[in-house]
Amino acid sequence: MTPTEPVAGGAAAQTAARPPLPVKMVIAGGFGVGKTTAVGSISEIEPLTTEAAITEVAAGVDDLSHTPRKTTTTVAMDFGCITIDPTLKLYLFGTPGQDRFGFMWDDIVEGAVGGLVIVDTRRLDDCYAAVDYFEHKQIPFAVAVNAFDGKVEHELDEVRWALDVAEHVPLVVFDARERGSVRDALLVVLELALARSEG
């Protein structure tokens, strides 16, 4: 074969041989809203979690009234990944939910294209910090209302009003336990990030 002869398969073969583009996305929200569950539901690898047992001291700080069966908490981050298609792979970083671990957020969010803020409508005030963080950093994000027990306590319009979230921020209902539901929520964030980069 001479240097001028085309390689078999041409551009299509070269595209297929390329690894997917790595994209970082953050999953955030308050304590016990479903961040670790969401990462675990969709990750194609065994997710890395930094779960620690909830001690009596921690139970006195963290509100367990809506999550009485919760025995562990994320103390650093969750990590997982999912290949969206042959050209794109999402690397998911879940933040710790408690205020006392907030100092880690800047490092976790560094380089992320966007964020998914998970909300439990039974305690909306727990997600204010996450919403404020993404707004302040001007990072594209969507709000995902986790349907605990298959239901939500408030309509999406009420959630938007309560969180004072701008109209351009997508709000979706999802189930952190279901892979397809988590995927759809992440795709909303991805589309938002792509629109921001093209705009």
Side-chain angles (χ1 to χ4, degrees), residues 53-90:
I54 296 176
T55 63
E56 289 184 14
V57 173
V61 175
D62 300 320
D63 180 8
L64 301 177
S65 60
H66 291 288
T67 54
R69 294 187 299 273
K70 188 170 176 61
T71 59
T72 61
T73 185
T74 301
V75 295
M77 69 173 186
D78 300 310
F79 173 78
C81 62
I82 178 68
T83 302
I84 299 299
D85 62 36
T87 67
L88 187 66
K89 187 168 189 173
L90 290 184

Coordinates of all heavy atoms in Angstrom, one line a residue, residues 53-90:
A53 N -20.7 4.7 58.4 CA -21.9 4.4 59.3 C -22.3 5.7 60.0 O -21.5 6.6 60.3 CB -21.5 3.4 60.3
I54 N -23.6 5.9 60.1 CA -24.1 7.1 60.8 C -24.0 6.8 62.3 O -24.7 5.9 62.8 CB -25.6 7.4 60.4 CG1 -25.7 7.7 58.9 CG2 -26.2 8.5 61.3 CD1 -27.1 7.9 58.4
T55 N -23.2 7.6 63.0 CA -23.0 7.4 64.4 C -24.1 8.1 65.2 O -24.9 8.9 64.6 CB -21.7 7.9 64.8 OG1 -21.6 9.3 64.6 CG2 -20.5 7.2 64.1
E56 N -24.2 7.9 66.5 CA -25.1 8.7 67.3 C -24.9 10.2 67.2 O -25.8 11.0 67.2 CB -25.0 8.2 68.8 CG -25.6 6.8 69.0 CD -25.6 6.4 70.4 OE1 -25.4 7.3 71.3 OE2 -25.7 5.2 70.7
V57 N -23.6 10.5 67.1 CA -23.3 12.0 67.0 C -23.8 12.5 65.7 O -24.4 13.6 65.7 CB -21.7 12.2 67.1 CG1 -21.4 13.6 66.9 CG2 -21.2 11.8 68.5
A58 N -23.6 11.8 64.6 CA -24.0 12.3 63.3 C -25.5 12.3 63.2 O -26.1 13.2 62.6 CB -23.5 11.4 62.2
A59 N -26.2 11.3 63.9 CA -27.6 11.3 63.9 C -28.2 12.5 64.6 O -29.3 13.0 64.3 CB -28.1 10.0 64.6
G60 N -27.5 13.1 65.5 CA -27.9 14.3 66.2 C -27.8 15.5 65.3 O -28.4 16.6 65.6
V61 N -26.9 15.4 64.3 CA -26.7 16.5 63.4 C -27.6 16.4 62.1 O -28.1 17.4 61.6 CB -25.2 16.6 63.0 CG1 -25.0 17.7 61.9 CG2 -24.3 16.8 64.2
D62 N -27.6 15.2 61.5 CA -28.4 15.0 60.3 C -29.8 14.6 60.6 O -30.1 13.8 61.5 CB -27.7 13.9 59.5 CG -26.3 14.3 59.1 OD1 -26.0 15.4 58.8 OD2 -25.4 13.4 59.2
D63 N -30.8 15.2 59.8 CA -32.2 14.9 60.0 C -32.5 13.5 59.4 O -32.5 13.4 58.2 CB -33.0 16.0 59.4 CG -34.5 15.8 59.5 OD1 -34.9 14.9 60.3 OD2 -35.3 16.6 58.9
L64 N -32.8 12.6 60.2 CA -33.1 11.2 59.8 C -34.6 11.0 59.8 O -35.1 9.9 59.5 CB -32.4 10.2 60.6 CG -30.9 10.2 60.7 CD1 -30.4 9.2 61.6 CD2 -30.3 10.1 59.3
S65 N -35.4 12.0 60.0 CA -36.9 11.8 60.2 C -37.5 11.3 58.9 O -38.5 10.5 59.0 CB -37.6 13.1 60.7 OG -37.4 14.1 59.7
H66 N -37.0 11.6 57.7 CA -37.6 11.2 56.5 C -36.9 10.0 55.9 O -37.3 9.4 54.9 CB -37.7 12.3 55.5 CG -38.6 13.4 55.8 ND1 -40.0 13.2 55.8 CD2 -38.4 14.6 56.3 CE1 -40.6 14.3 56.2 NE2 -39.7 15.2 56.5
T67 N -35.7 9.6 56.5 CA -34.9 8.5 56.1 C -34.6 7.6 57.2 O -33.4 7.4 57.5 CB -33.7 9.0 55.3 OG1 -32.9 9.9 56.2 CG2 -34.0 9.7 54.1
P68 N -35.6 7.1 58.0 CA -35.3 6.3 59.2 C -34.5 5.1 59.0 O -33.8 4.6 59.9 CB -36.7 6.0 59.7 CG -37.6 6.1 58.5 CD -37.0 7.1 57.7
R69 N -34.5 4.5 57.8 CA -33.8 3.3 57.5 C -32.4 3.5 57.0 O -31.6 2.6 56.8 CB -34.5 2.4 56.5 CG -35.9 1.9 57.0 CD -36.5 0.9 56.0 NE -36.8 1.5 54.7 CZ -37.9 2.2 54.5 NH1 -38.8 2.4 55.4 NH2 -38.2 2.7 53.3
K70 N -32.0 4.8 56.9 CA -30.6 5.1 56.4 C -29.6 4.9 57.5 O -29.7 5.5 58.6 CB -30.6 6.6 55.9 CG -29.3 7.0 55.2 CD -29.5 8.3 54.6 CE -28.2 8.8 53.9 NZ -27.7 7.9 52.8
T71 N -28.6 4.1 57.2 CA -27.6 3.7 58.2 C -26.2 4.2 57.9 O -25.3 4.2 58.7 CB -27.5 2.2 58.4 OG1 -27.2 1.6 57.2 CG2 -28.9 1.7 58.9
T72 N -26.0 4.7 56.6 CA -24.7 5.2 56.2 C -24.9 6.6 55.5 O -26.0 6.9 55.1 CB -24.1 4.2 55.1 OG1 -24.9 4.1 54.0 CG2 -23.8 2.9 55.8
T73 N -23.8 7.2 55.4 CA -23.8 8.6 54.7 C -22.5 8.7 53.9 O -21.5 8.2 54.3 CB -23.9 9.7 55.7 OG1 -24.0 10.9 55.0 CG2 -22.7 9.8 56.7
T74 N -22.6 9.5 52.8 CA -21.4 9.8 52.0 C -20.6 10.8 52.7 O -21.0 11.9 53.0 CB -21.8 10.2 50.6 OG1 -22.7 9.2 50.0 CG2 -20.6 10.5 49.7
V75 N -19.3 10.5 52.9 CA -18.4 11.5 53.5 C -17.4 12.1 52.6 O -16.7 13.0 53.0 CB -17.7 10.8 54.7 CG1 -18.6 10.3 55.8 CG2 -16.8 9.6 54.2
A76 N -17.3 11.7 51.4 CA -16.4 12.3 50.4 C -17.1 12.5 49.1 O -17.5 13.6 48.7 CB -15.1 11.5 50.2
M77 N -17.3 11.4 48.3 CA -18.1 11.4 47.1 C -18.4 10.0 46.6 O -18.0 9.0 47.2 CB -17.2 12.1 46.0 CG -16.0 11.2 45.6 SD -15.1 11.9 44.2 CE -13.9 10.6 43.9
D78 N -19.3 10.0 45.6 CA -19.6 8.8 44.9 C -19.1 8.9 43.5 O -19.0 10.0 43.0 CB -21.2 8.6 44.8 CG -21.8 8.5 46.2 OD1 -21.3 7.7 47.0 OD2 -22.8 9.2 46.4
F79 N -18.7 7.8 42.9 CA -18.2 7.9 41.5 C -18.7 6.7 40.7 O -18.7 5.5 41.2 CB -16.7 7.9 41.5 CG -16.1 7.7 40.1 CD1 -16.0 8.8 39.3 CD2 -15.6 6.5 39.7 CE1 -15.5 8.7 38.0 CE2 -15.1 6.4 38.4 CZ -15.1 7.5 37.5
G80 N -19.1 7.0 39.5 CA -19.5 5.9 38.6 C -19.4 6.4 37.2 O -19.1 7.6 36.9
C81 N -19.7 5.6 36.2 CA -19.6 6.1 34.8 C -20.7 5.3 34.0 O -21.1 4.2 34.3 CB -18.2 5.9 34.2 SG -17.6 4.2 34.1
I82 N -21.0 5.9 32.9 CA -22.0 5.3 31.9 C -21.7 5.7 30.5 O -21.5 6.9 30.3 CB -23.5 5.7 32.3 CG1 -24.4 5.1 31.3 CG2 -23.6 7.1 32.4 CD1 -24.5 3.6 31.3
T83 N -21.6 4.8 29.6 CA -21.3 5.1 28.2 C -22.7 5.4 27.5 O -23.5 4.5 27.5 CB -20.6 3.9 27.5 OG1 -19.4 3.6 28.1 CG2 -20.4 4.3 26.0
I84 N -22.8 6.7 27.1 CA -24.1 7.1 26.5 C -24.2 6.5 25.1 O -25.3 6.0 24.7 CB -24.2 8.6 26.5 CG1 -24.1 9.2 27.9 CG2 -25.4 9.1 25.7 CD1 -25.3 8.7 28.8
D85 N -23.2 6.6 24.3 CA -23.1 6.0 23.0 C -21.6 5.9 22.6 O -20.8 6.2 23.5 CB -23.8 6.9 21.9 CG -23.3 8.3 21.8 OD1 -22.0 8.5 21.9 OD2 -24.0 9.3 21.6
P86 N -21.2 5.4 21.5 CA -19.8 5.1 21.2 C -19.0 6.4 21.2 O -17.7 6.3 21.3 CB -19.8 4.5 19.8 CG -21.2 3.9 19.6 CD -22.1 4.8 20.4
T87 N -19.6 7.6 21.2 CA -18.8 8.8 21.2 C -18.7 9.5 22.5 O -18.0 10.5 22.6 CB -19.4 9.8 20.1 OG1 -20.7 10.3 20.6 CG2 -19.5 9.2 18.8
L88 N -19.5 9.1 23.5 CA -19.6 9.9 24.7 C -19.7 9.0 26.0 O -20.5 8.1 26.0 CB -20.8 10.8 24.6 CG -21.1 11.8 25.8 CD1 -20.0 12.8 25.8 CD2 -22.4 12.4 25.6
K89 N -18.9 9.3 27.0 CA -19.0 8.6 28.3 C -19.1 9.6 29.4 O -18.3 10.5 29.5 CB -17.7 7.7 28.4 CG -17.8 6.8 29.6 CD -16.6 5.8 29.5 CE -16.8 4.7 30.6 NZ -15.7 3.6 30.4
L90 N -20.1 9.4 30.2 CA -20.3 10.3 31.4 C -19.6 9.7 32.6 O -19.7 8.5 32.9 CB -21.8 10.4 31.7 CG -22.6 11.2 30.8 CD1 -24.1 11.3 31.3 CD2 -22.1 12.6 30.5

